[in-house]
Amino acid sequence: MNKPFNNKAWFFVLPVFVLVAISAIIPLMTVVNYSVQDTFGNNVFYWAGTEWFKEVLHSSRFHDALGRNLLFSAIILAIEIPLGICIALTLPKKGFWVPVCLILMALPLLIPWNVVGTIWQVFGRADIGLLGNTLMRLGMDYNYATNVFDAWATIVVMDVWHWTSLVVLLCYAGLVSIPEAYYQAARIDGASKWKVFKYIQLPKIKRVLLIAVLLRFMDSFMIYTEPFVLTGGGPGNSTTFLSIDLVKTAIGQFDLGPAAAMSLIYFLIVLLLSWVFYTVMENYGAEKQDPRVEQD
Amino acid sequence: MAQITLDNIAHSFNPYPGSNADYALKNIDYQWDDGGAYALLGPSGCGKTTLLNIISGLLTPSNGRVLYDSNDMTLLTPELRNIAQVFQFPVIYDTMTVAENLAFPLVNRGVDRSEINKRVDDMLQTLELSDKANRRAQGLTADEKQKISLGRGLVRYDVSAILFDEPLTVIDPHMKWQLRTKLKSLHEQFGHTMIYVTHDQTEALTFADKVVVMYEGNVLQVGTPEELFDQPEHTFVGYFIGSPGMNIFPASINGQTLTLGSNNVKLSKGYSNLNGKTEVGIRPEFISLASKEKAGTRGMKFKLDTVEDVGRLKIVRGKIEDVTVNVIVDEDDSIPTEPYAVFDPERICVYQDSFLIRGDA
């Protein structure tokens, strides 16, 4: 591959570079700056080197929060992706009900995070909330403020309610773009519904599904508002995710150095895992192509 | 393999069809003989694909029955009808290899693995795709993909019929010819009934033993390419087949005399009892241009407009009285400066309300 080298190309990239520099690189550099120094205010800084990074990486508080994040994202992906695909498959493809379904699906996406948190916080209260009260009358001892499982279940249900629609809409867009001839050919070939899904629908929505997985992973891994509104990270530390812990460290305790180091590590973890998802999904099913390259 | 009978088929995409205009297919009654090669020819939107989908079972007709031999198949799925269909755009299963694609319909039907391997190998050879058997189908060219679509139909030896829905639309011109030849040889080899939908008359006339011409949901004529050329049953068939199509113009006929403006032409047959709209058709191939002396009394003054050279032939456009007429002459023939048009009386067709009238002999 011979790519022509063109100096003019740099000028075209320049505006974007400037914008990204202002919006991302410069603020990030401030964080890097904080992460290697210690300060007691008054703009007095002491060099700390990699001290904060070591401290964060070795603290059990960080490990626990990271574990919670990983578990939460795993649960969210395991529920929302299959559920989203299933709902997308059952949505009508044409007719009167299409816009109705799509609008109903899109509604939760329009609600801000903290409102979702507040809705569910009230909804789940045993004294005045419809859900909490109903469960109590049914004899179930449901209380998200004191029970770890209940708190987790509430946040998971909240997130599934809020964001499954996104997966549905993305998959639906992928599904409706499949030409009718594919389904007709599959009927002629005598393929079962499962085979139609496996060999036609799934391969054709693979790309949008990748976007859905990445978006849902990044979003769920950065969850903050919902647990913060619901229980403030409790009961105990059971819903203290990395983001909540980060805010506690930076603003609650004013430990700017460790907080900066933690944000960088947090950022790198999101980046790394997103890259892993991307690589795995892009290459899935492509392995069979390797022998062919040798053959040619 | 089976004889396919369409018994009074009509179809409307409107669930509550009112007038005749709501029907995409209007009362089609036809029998496709076992082992025949048919072409279904007509302009876009005339109902060809609808008819094909009704034969294969992708669509259930609003009225009428579909019979395979003497079994009523009207309500059965394509799978139960055991039929193959190739679509306009190649359909392949992206994640499978070429060989797996060809095996797919057999796997779905629970055929033995050893039998599958044997048939797939055969088919790979027939389609000249053996060297690509283990490649993923995704990266192939359009014509290779279309060959695979075709192969998935042919790999089932026992299919009742193979239906083609404009299968060469996306194929390069030089590959079109090659694939068409392949289809013909496959037809000879396997003897399947083949029904080939197209709007390209060259494709239809070269592929088929019998051509079915459709227009606005009706079958206008079924015949061999020669019949369609010599005796179009409907003015549309005359106009649609041939390049350029038949010259069709209103004229008055009295017994054995055709009157066109101030010209009279003696016909080979007599026509009595003509009523309604009378039209006359003659193919450009059967009109000659001559000088006044040579044409004699049969000649009609021809006002020349343009001459188009299309290789071995010349298409001459001009007017007789007020009627526009195309004439085809050989490349080498010179056109007289004051040309007179002469019709071959044997080749003149007479139409009443658009349908052919056979003369009294």
Side-chain angles (χ1 to χ4, degrees):
Chain A
M1 288 281 271
N2 258 335
K3 278 189 184 169
F5 189 82
N6 186 347
N7 273 324
K8 252 189 267 175
W10 292 104
F11 288 103
F12 292 117
V13 177
L14 201 65
V16 178
F17 182 78
V18 171
L19 281 177
V20 172
I22 294 170
S23 71
I25 301 175
I26 295 171
L28 193 69
M29 286 319 293
T30 333
V31 178
V32 172
N33 210 10
Y34 274 117
S35 72
V36 291
Q37 299 184 77
D38 195 6
T39 176
F40 301 104
N42 283 340
N43 256 345
V44 184
F45 288 94
Y46 302 92
W47 178 252
T50 58
E51 207 50 44
W52 299 132
F53 289 93
K54 283 181 191 152
E55 190 188 297
V56 168
L57 285 173
H58 288 109
S59 84
S60 62
R61 186 172 143 184
F62 178 78
H63 293 162
D64 292 350
L66 178 62
R68 283 181 212 115
N69 264 67
L70 289 172
L71 179 65
F72 183 72
S73 286
I75 294 174
I76 289 302
L77 288 181
I79 296 176
E80 288 182 9
I81 298 298
L83 185 64
I85 295 174
C86 287
I87 296 175
L89 286 172
T90 54
L91 285 184
K93 289 212 178 63
K94 51 186 165 191
F96 169 75
W97 290 105
V98 172
V100 177
C101 290
L102 291 184
I103 289 168
L104 281 178
M105 277 291 143
L107 277 181
L109 300 175
L110 302 176
I111 302 174
W113 291 260
N114 54 345
V115 177
V116 173
T118 315
I119 290 174
W120 282 83
Q121 193 208 25
V122 177
F123 190 46
R125 273 173 64 166
D127 50 352
I128 57 167
L130 187 63
L131 174 72
N133 198 264
T134 310
L135 287 175
M136 194 190 69
R137 279 163 192 272
L138 289 172
M140 285 169 74
D141 186 19
Y142 165 81
N143 188 337
Y144 58 75
T146 56
N147 184 306
V148 174
F149 179 81
D150 291 351
W152 267 76
T154 310
I155 298 173
V156 167
V157 171
M158 203 190 290
D159 198 275
V160 168
W161 176 82
H162 197 181
W163 290 112
T164 305
S165 303
L166 180 73
V167 182
V168 173
L169 293 180
L170 283 170
C171 289
Y172 184 75
L175 285 173
V176 291
S177 69
I178 301 175
E180 187 59 28
Y182 277 83
Y183 295 111
Q184 293 181 332
R187 284 176 68 189
I188 298 283
D189 289 338
S192 61
K193 274 204 157 154
W194 165 245
K195 282 187 174 169
V196 169
F197 175 70
K198 188 176 164 195
Y199 295 116
I200 296 174
Q201 291 170 323
L202 198 56
K204 294 276 173 204
I205 63 169
K206 203 179 89 174
R207 293 201 160 259
V208 283
L209 203 57
L210 171 66
I211 294 171
V213 167
L214 283 179
L215 283 177
R216 284 319 300 134
F217 164 70
M218 288 190 280
D219 249 12
S220 64
F221 205 76
M222 297 188 291
I223 185 160
Y224 173 76
T225 321
E226 291 92 335
F228 180 76
V229 172
L230 192 72
T231 60
N237 274 332
S238 62
T239 57
T240 303
F241 296 102
L242 284 173
S243 55
I244 293 184
D245 202 27
L246 183 63
V247 173
K248 276 185 186 167
T249 314
I251 296 167
Q253 300 161 220
F254 210 68
D255 284 335
L256 292 183
M262 191 174 156
S263 354
L264 285 177
I265 295 167
Y266 195 1
F267 168 64
L268 288 176
I269 293 173
V270 174
L271 205 62
L272 177 75
L273 289 177
S274 296
W275 177 78
V276 169
F277 276 119
Y278 182 81
T279 315
V280 169
M281 287 188 71
E282 271 292 280
N283 292 333
Y284 176 75
E287 295 130 65
K288 281 179 188 158
Q289 256 168 330
D290 290 342
R292 141 192 161 182
V293 178
E294 289 164 13
Q295 272 181 7
D296 285 355
Chain B
M1 309 238 179
Q3 181 189 55
I4 299 173
T5 310
L6 301 178
D7 178 16
N8 278 312
I9 291 287
H11 188 74
S12 172
F13 290 101
N14 184 340
Y16 308 104
S19 68
N20 209 24
D22 284 347
Y23 282 89
L25 288 179
K26 297 157 191 158
N27 211 26
I28 300 212
D29 229 349
Y30 190 65
Q31 211 167 56
W32 313 81
D33 289 332
D34 190 10
Y38 294 92
L40 211 51
L41 180 66
S44 300
C46 72
K48 294 168 295 186
T49 300
T50 309
L51 186 62
L52 205 65
N53 288 347
I54 284 174
I55 296 174
S56 69
L58 291 170
L59 262 182
T60 307
S62 313
N63 300 318
R65 294 185 309 157
V66 180
L67 305 171
Y68 285 21
D69 291 331
S70 56
N71 306 315
D72 190 340
M73 294 285 191
T74 317
L75 299 172
L76 297 188
T77 61
E79 199 189 343
L80 292 170
R81 294 187 192 197
N82 197 16
I83 197 148
Q85 189 169 359
V86 181
F87 299 90
Q88 187 169 5
F89 296 98
V91 173
I92 50 146
Y93 302 102
D94 294 340
T95 53
M96 298 185 195
T97 65
V98 172
E100 284 168 339
N101 257 283
L102 293 176
F104 192 59
L106 299 174
V107 172
N108 290 333
R109 283 173 175 77
V111 177
D112 271 357
R113 194 69 239 181
S114 57
E115 177 66 17
I116 292 179
N117 290 340
K118 199 176 117 270
R119 288 205 213 168
V120 168
D121 284 345
D122 274 1
M123 194 43 62
L124 284 167
Q125 248 159 34
T126 314
L127 299 174
E128 292 152 28
L129 284 171
S130 296
D131 54 326
K132 293 178 174 134
N134 295 316
R135 260 172 88 150
R136 280 228 300 172
Q138 201 174 15
L140 301 178
T141 59
D143 50 86
E144 286 170 329
K145 284 182 180 175
Q146 194 61 307
K147 274 194 199 170
I148 297 172
S149 305
L150 186 65
R152 280 207 315 273
L154 293 168
V155 81
R156 289 146 53 197
Y157 296 155
D158 58 339
V159 285
S160 310
I162 306 178
L163 314 178
F164 303 93
D165 190 355
E166 305 191 23
L168 303 182
T169 310
V170 294
I171 310 297
D172 283 345
H174 73 284
M175 282 305 299
K176 261 187 194 177
W177 182 80
Q178 217 170 318
L179 274 181
R180 211 158 52 212
T181 315
K182 182 108 258 171
L183 281 182
K184 268 234 110 130
S185 74
L186 288 171
H187 181 248
E188 276 155 27
Q189 192 183 342
F190 292 105
H192 288 124
T193 312
M194 289 188 174
I195 303 175
Y196 189 105
V197 162
T198 178
H199 59 246
D200 178 341
Q201 50 164 316
T202 320
E203 244 173 72
L205 300 178
T206 51
F207 173 81
D209 308 330
K210 270 201 169 164
V211 180
V212 178
V213 183
M214 286 184 72
Y215 181 63
E216 288 185 341
N218 289 306
V219 171
L220 292 180
Q221 185 171 5
V222 182
T224 61
E226 293 78 29
E227 285 167 350
L228 296 181
F229 189 79
D230 293 339
Q231 300 269 299
E233 300 257 7
H234 189 276
T235 49
F236 175 78
V237 179
Y239 171 77
F240 195 66
I241 306 269
S243 175
M246 199 178 222
N247 296 301
I248 291 165
F249 40 84
S252 65
I253 289 171
N254 194 352
Q256 222 171 329
T257 313
L258 160 70
T259 309
L260 183 60
S262 59
N263 304 294
N264 288 321
V265 177
K266 193 158 163 47
L267 300 170
S268 63
K269 291 174 188 165
Y271 296 84
S272 48
N273 300 326
L274 286 176
N275 45 38
K277 191 175 74 172
T278 310
E279 284 168 303
V280 162
I282 182 158
R283 293 213 171 267
E285 288 84 349
F286 304 133
I287 305 177
S288 51
L289 295 177
S291 61
K292 189 170 187 177
E293 304 80 64
K294 276 193 178 171
T297 52
R298 295 183 304 151
M300 290 172 277
K301 197 163 169 39
F302 185 82
K303 208 157 78 210
L304 193 138
D305 278 343
T306 58
V307 179
E308 219 179 291
D309 203 328
V310 288
R312 280 175 38 240
L313 300 167
K314 277 188 280 200
I315 299 173
V316 183
R317 286 174 209 278
K319 280 200 169 111
I320 300 174
E321 306 271 323
D322 284 335
V323 179
T324 306
V325 174
N326 292 321
V327 180
I328 290 183
V329 296
D330 272 354
E331 182 188 29
D332 305 326
D333 291 0
S334 62
I335 300 166
T337 40
E338 262 197 23
Y340 280 74
V342 179
F343 290 0
D344 178 350
E346 297 288 329
R347 303 292 195 161
I348 296 174
C349 297
V350 176
Y351 295 92
Q352 180 179 281
D353 292 332
S354 302
F355 286 94
L356 182 72
I357 301 292
R358 292 177 200 283
D360 306 327

